Amino acid sequence: MSIDERLANTNFPLPAIRQVNMAKHATGISLGLGELKGFEVDNKIKQAMTESWDDGAACYTQNAGLPQLRKEVADRQHHEDGCSYTVDNVIITIGVQNAVYSSIKTLAKLGAKRVLIPSIHFGIYKKIPAEFGLEVITYPLYDDFSIDLQSLESMLQKDDVMILNSPSNPTGRVYSDEELQALADLLKSKLTEGYVISDEIYGQLVYDGEDFHSFSKYFSRTIVVDGISKSGAVAGLRVGWVITQNEKLAKAIISNNATVISTPPTPNQWAAIPIVKGDTKETIKHYNKTLLENRNKVVSFLEKMNITYNAPRGSFYIFPKVSGILGDKVKEFCIQTAGEENGVVVIPGEAFGAPEYLRISLASFELEEGLIRLEKALKEWK
Ligand SMILES: Cc1ncc(COP(=O)(O)O)c(C=O)c1O
């Protein structure tokens, strides 16, 4: 079969999240966004980007990224976990998606065979390993979205790659110190040759209770992936990073990413520095205040509607179980409601491997009106 014949017979679908967002009617409200759209961007970020033109912003950086940014990432991680890092432990990437991609690509080339991902997960965790022919296995979560450690233990092989995501998209679950310690105790005895990829992109967006802890503090065979998309409200700048205690592995990831992206955009790397240094902390505090207020509004709504949920503590999503109202038609409901005049966009749980749920974003300035529309749509659904 020729390329053109294959092309005619192959469907390369857009992710379900995009499909639903694209169905949005012009009069619709989106509670489906995965970014802090409309939240004020800290001036220090803009200033750093503007000033970068005097520092060679029009030129390439090294493949591994801007040394000044790599140094800030190394220092920040040291502050998190007490381990020692240099620029050689850090790779700057084009967003966290590219950080996950380059890590998995490298581990696949080094012989990894299986990737364990949470049963409720961000979509790329499944798709990227599949691109490299790796087997993807889901580990179960309890109803409160905590990890079922007994089941995980029974499925783990010593050279697996495990993906961890706390705070989570889509559940908003943030694992506590004890939970992370218990997981690390298990992994220290079972995952002696593999790695954990810990996606910490929402680490700064914890708005209720105990702070976030980086998993590298508990387990040394951790590859941390993180970035500025969410905590800086600058998803469009596309800056992320990988940091690992294993310098040789970092070097391998640099080499494997160089063929994909060459280097991340230089001005955007300069713009990331104030966020990583902690100079935008006050702005992040404001984001978290808004997210907590919004979380409480959605919780009241779900209580009123008698819908089962777990109150999230971090990220900016809530993931209620709506199969009691919508049966097995959650996706149909989301597509129809998005497309209606004066409709609302919410994301079907199917996009995250959990078709009984839907994801509501807390990052909206039209939340109250969005919830009124959602209530109407749920009540009218047949
Ligand atoms: C859990 C998680 N990881 C990674 C990403 C991708 O991040 P980036 O936009 O920095 O590539 C997202 C974006 O929604 C996410 O929710």
Side-chain angles (χ1 to χ4, degrees), residues 101-302:
Y101 185 91
S102 55
S103 302
I104 289 180
K105 177 183 175 191
T106 306
L107 292 168
K109 282 199 176 178
L110 292 168
K113 295 274 177 296
R114 312 191 329 158
V115 179
L116 271 56
I117 68 172
S119 54
I120 301 177
H121 50 263
F122 182 50
I124 62 164
Y125 299 163
K126 199 168 189 174
K127 289 185 184 157
I128 293 176
E131 286 193 14
F132 295 100
L134 303 182
E135 188 184 354
V136 179
I137 298 159
T138 56
Y139 56 86
L141 305 179
Y142 289 116
D143 284 347
D144 68 353
F145 304 136
S146 60
I147 300 174
D148 173 351
L149 289 183
Q150 240 182 350
S151 298
L152 176 66
E153 181 170 16
S154 70
M155 56 177 60
L156 260 180
Q157 294 178 5
K158 65 180 179 188
D159 55 357
D160 280 338
V161 175
M162 175 182 167
I163 298 185
L164 183 67
N165 176 218
S166 170
S168 155
N169 175 11
T171 68
R173 186 71 151 78
V174 187
Y175 294 130
S176 67
D177 178 52
E178 288 97 71
E179 286 177 300
L180 294 175
Q181 192 59 64
L183 174 63
D185 288 345
L186 166 64
L187 296 178
K188 276 176 197 159
S189 66
K190 295 288 278 188
L191 192 70
T192 48
E193 294 175 17
Y195 282 91
V196 169
I197 297 175
S198 181
D199 183 343
E200 303 182 356
I201 189 168
Y202 296 99
Q204 309 299 308
L205 300 178
V206 175
Y207 46 76
D208 191 13
E210 187 187 337
D211 276 352
F212 157 82
H213 307 283
S214 176
F215 196 58
S216 66
K217 182 173 150 192
Y218 303 84
F219 186 62
S220 62
R221 299 182 70 84
T222 297
I223 300 169
V224 172
V225 293
D226 197 352
I228 63 168
S229 299
K230 315 292 178 176
S231 58
V234 286
L237 294 192
R238 315 301 306 126
V239 177
W241 57 83
V242 180
I243 179 162
T244 156
Q245 292 171 32
N246 186 333
E247 215 178 286
K248 203 138 188 235
L249 179 59
K251 216 169 158 193
I253 296 173
I254 294 166
S255 165
N256 277 293
N257 210 30
T259 53
V260 184
I261 67 156
S262 179
T263 75
T266 306
N268 304 16
Q269 295 188 68
W270 282 104
I273 289 179
I275 306 171
V276 179
K277 269 177 90 171
D279 292 346
T280 63
K281 268 209 167 91
E282 282 309 308
T283 303
I284 294 174
K285 256 192 212 161
H286 285 297
Y287 298 162
N288 282 329
K289 186 169 168 285
T290 304
L291 294 178
L292 177 60
E293 285 164 8
N294 286 0
R295 195 270 322 252
N296 292 342
K297 284 177 197 163
V298 183
V299 161
S300 302
F301 164 78
L302 295 170

Side-chain angles (χ1 to χ4, degrees), residues 322-331 333-334 358 377-378 381:
V322 288
S323 50
I325 299 179
L326 300 173
D328 60 358
K329 298 280 184 289
V330 179
K331 187 175 175 187
F333 169 83
C334 292
L358 60 75
L378 284 169
W381 177 259

Side-chain angles (χ1 to χ4, degrees), residues 307-367:
I307 294 174
T308 313
Y309 67 93
N310 292 303
R313 293 204 301 117
S315 79
F316 44 78
Y317 312 104
I318 187 163
F319 203 55
K321 194 170 192 174
V322 288
S323 50
I325 299 179
L326 300 173
D328 60 358
K329 298 280 184 289
V330 179
K331 187 175 175 187
E332 284 85 342
F333 169 83
C334 292
I335 291 175
Q336 182 176 315
T337 310
E340 274 167 4
E341 199 173 343
N342 298 318
V344 59
V345 177
V346 284
I347 306 297
E350 187 183 301
F352 310 95
E356 296 175 319
Y357 296 76
L358 60 75
R359 190 189 77 175
I360 301 172
S361 174
L362 308 175
S364 168
F365 293 100
E366 297 177 303
L367 185 68

